[in-house]
């Protein structure tokens, strides 16, 4: 379904993705009196979370409420919201066209993609249903809310570092090796020195009672009581729309392990395809909400600057044509 738009819209900037990165870019552009259309599928990565944190003056706000407020703010500056799925993008003589799943088309001089990423979780029964509630991944986003509770860390390439971060918040941290690579002796020594227990068995299932995690059951049948679980998910960038323009994703590697994919860009979000920018988790998987918002502002300003250069070039060409 489309709203606030005709079947075919022509704007200065198309933004695919209506989270905080896309909305922040739209506000920056709208305040520069640029025409902007945001295409949003309504499927934000952080929708399962009840609250977002570390966003100054908005601490604890629902991610969906942030989007609602952001949409209102963007509309105030003339931004159009197009509700639908962006199916493909193509280059035109004047810029780009994005075709939606319903067949409508949005054309624009520049393209910004802020589609985020998908979290790929460990395949443990009961885990995915608790994602964003008491299955967590970021201590800066959710750690304060589970301080002093019993926290389990599911093994990943980053488990040693993760465990030490969560240990700052509680004395009750248990690392579950599960199917992760064997921890080095140095890592085991560091964990032991911090009072962190390591369980070598695989987790068979997550135990839930009264809509809350109460622990895990191991492959041996042993039950371990817990209040929250921490995972190190793989990050898969939502980059299909960019691939249709010839951009490829890059593997994100840490400790010699591939953690996911992202789209490479320069510090203001410009990609290797002229006229195409990215911002937010699609290009920076580790960014929090406030960092994604800041990236959107930078990309929006960069796009406006690029459009200014084009406007001046066109004006010069016209002036020369008149003079001749």
């Amino acid at each position: 379904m489309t709203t606030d738009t005709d079947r075919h819209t022509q704007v200065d900037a198309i933004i695919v993705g209506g989270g905080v990165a896309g909305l922040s870019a739209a506000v920056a552009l709208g305040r520069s009196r640029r025409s902007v259309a945001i295409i949003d599928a309504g499927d934000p990565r952080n929708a399962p979370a009840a609250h977002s944190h570390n966003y100054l003056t908005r601490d604890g706000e629902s991610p969906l409420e942030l989007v609602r407020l952001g949409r209102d703010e963007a509309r105030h500056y003339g931004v159009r919201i197009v509700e639908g799925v962006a199916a493909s993008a193509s280059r035109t003589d004047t810029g780009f066209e994005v075709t939606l799943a319903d067949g409508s088309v949005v054309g624009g001089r520049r393209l910004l993609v802020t589609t985020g990423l998908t979290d790929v979780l460990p395949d443990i029964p009961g885990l995915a249903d608790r994602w964003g509630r008491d299955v967590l991944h970021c201590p800066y986003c959710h750690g304060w809310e589970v301080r002093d509770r019993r926290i389990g860390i599911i093994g990943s390439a980053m488990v040693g570092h993760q465990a030490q971060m969560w240990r700052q918040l509680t004395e009750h941290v248990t690392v579950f090796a599960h199917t992760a690579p064997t921890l080095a002796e140095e890592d085991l020594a560091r964990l032991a020195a911090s009072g962190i227990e390591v369980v070598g068995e695989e987790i068979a299932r997550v135990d839930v009672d009264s809509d809350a995690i109460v622990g895990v059951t191991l492959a041996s049948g042993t039950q371990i009581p817990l209040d929250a679980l921490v995972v190190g998910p793989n990050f898969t960038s939502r980059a299909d729309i960019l691939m249709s323009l010839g951009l490829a994703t890059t593997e994100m590697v840490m400790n010699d392990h591939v953690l996911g994919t992202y789209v490479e860009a320069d510090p203001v979000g410009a990609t290797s395809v002229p006229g195409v920018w990215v911002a937010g988790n699609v290009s920076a998987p580790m960014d929090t909400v406030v960092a994604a918002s800041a990236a959107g502002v930078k990309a929006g300003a960069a796009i406006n600057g690029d459009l200014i250069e084009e406007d001046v070039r066109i004006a010069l060409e016209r002036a020369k044509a008149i003079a001749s």
Side-chain angles (χ1 to χ4, degrees):
M1 178 181 73
T2 60
T3 61
D4 295 352
T5 186
D6 300 320
R7 296 291 292 177
H8 192 293
T9 300
Q10 185 72 27
V11 293
D12 288 322
I14 310 167
I15 299 175
V16 180
V20 295
L23 288 165
S24 296
V27 168
L29 285 160
R31 285 176 55 83
S32 294
R33 308 195 76 173
R34 294 294 183 183
S35 57
V36 182
I38 294 178
I39 302 171
D40 184 30
D43 182 27
R45 173 196 182 193
N46 56 4
H51 308 98
S52 59
H53 297 282
N54 293 306
Y55 199 144
L56 197 62
T57 77
R58 289 290 175 182
D59 189 64
E61 191 71 85
S62 157
L64 296 181
E65 179 65 5
L66 282 177
V67 169
R68 186 192 70 78
L69 292 168
R71 281 188 168 202
D72 288 347
E73 195 167 310
R75 284 192 176 106
H76 176 73
Y77 295 109
V79 175
R80 300 180 181 184
I81 309 294
V82 182
E83 295 180 0
V85 176
S88 63
S90 59
R91 186 176 288 281
T92 68
D93 291 340
T94 56
F96 303 90
E97 282 189 346
V98 176
T99 301
L100 278 67
D102 66 1
S104 58
V105 176
V106 179
R109 297 166 64 190
R110 300 294 184 271
L111 175 64
L112 170 62
V113 176
T114 62
T115 43
L117 56 80
T118 298
D119 296 289
V120 182
L121 303 176
D123 186 17
I124 299 173
L127 188 77
D129 293 340
R130 308 301 305 176
W131 176 237
R133 302 166 72 188
D134 39 23
V135 171
L136 315 168
H137 77 291
C138 173
Y140 303 105
C141 301
H142 306 289
W144 177 262
E145 285 64 42
V146 293
R147 65 193 185 280
D148 298 325
R149 309 297 296 276
R150 299 168 300 181
I151 299 174
I153 316 286
I154 299 176
S156 71
M158 295 177 61
V159 68
H161 178 60
Q162 279 185 308
Q164 299 294 350
M165 287 194 294
W166 289 88
R167 179 61 181 81
Q168 290 180 257
L169 297 157
T170 178
E171 296 179 358
H172 315 292
V173 176
T174 303
V175 166
F176 295 89
H178 193 54
T179 59
T182 302
L183 285 165
E185 288 297 324
E186 181 183 355
D187 290 326
L188 290 170
R190 288 166 57 87
L191 293 172
S194 299
I196 298 170
E197 182 183 359
V198 177
V199 176
E201 285 189 61
E202 288 189 30
I203 297 172
R205 69 169 185 267
V206 175
D207 298 324
V208 177
D209 185 41
S210 300
D211 197 31
I213 283 180
V214 294
V216 296
T217 296
L218 304 178
S220 64
T222 302
Q223 293 181 310
I224 308 291
L226 296 168
D227 301 302
L229 276 167
V230 173
V231 299
N234 283 347
F235 306 116
T236 302
S237 60
R238 297 175 176 174
D240 289 352
I241 196 75
L242 292 164
M243 291 180 182
S244 66
L245 291 168
L247 269 170
T249 58
T250 299
E251 288 185 340
M252 180 180 177
V253 179
M254 189 171 292
N255 296 337
D256 297 323
H257 294 279
V258 177
L259 299 184
T261 59
Y262 68 100
V263 177
E264 288 188 330
D266 74 6
V268 294
T271 72
S272 59
V273 175
V276 179
W277 275 259
V278 288
N281 288 149
V282 70
S283 56
M286 308 300 282
D287 274 3
T288 59
V289 171
V290 70
S293 177
V297 173
K298 288 195 294 184
I303 290 169
N304 184 54
D306 195 50
L307 288 168
I308 288 171
E309 289 302 309
E310 183 174 85
D311 292 340
V312 171
R313 177 180 57 77
I314 291 171
L316 284 170
E317 289 173 355
R318 287 174 178 167
K320 289 178 181 177
I322 292 171
S324 61

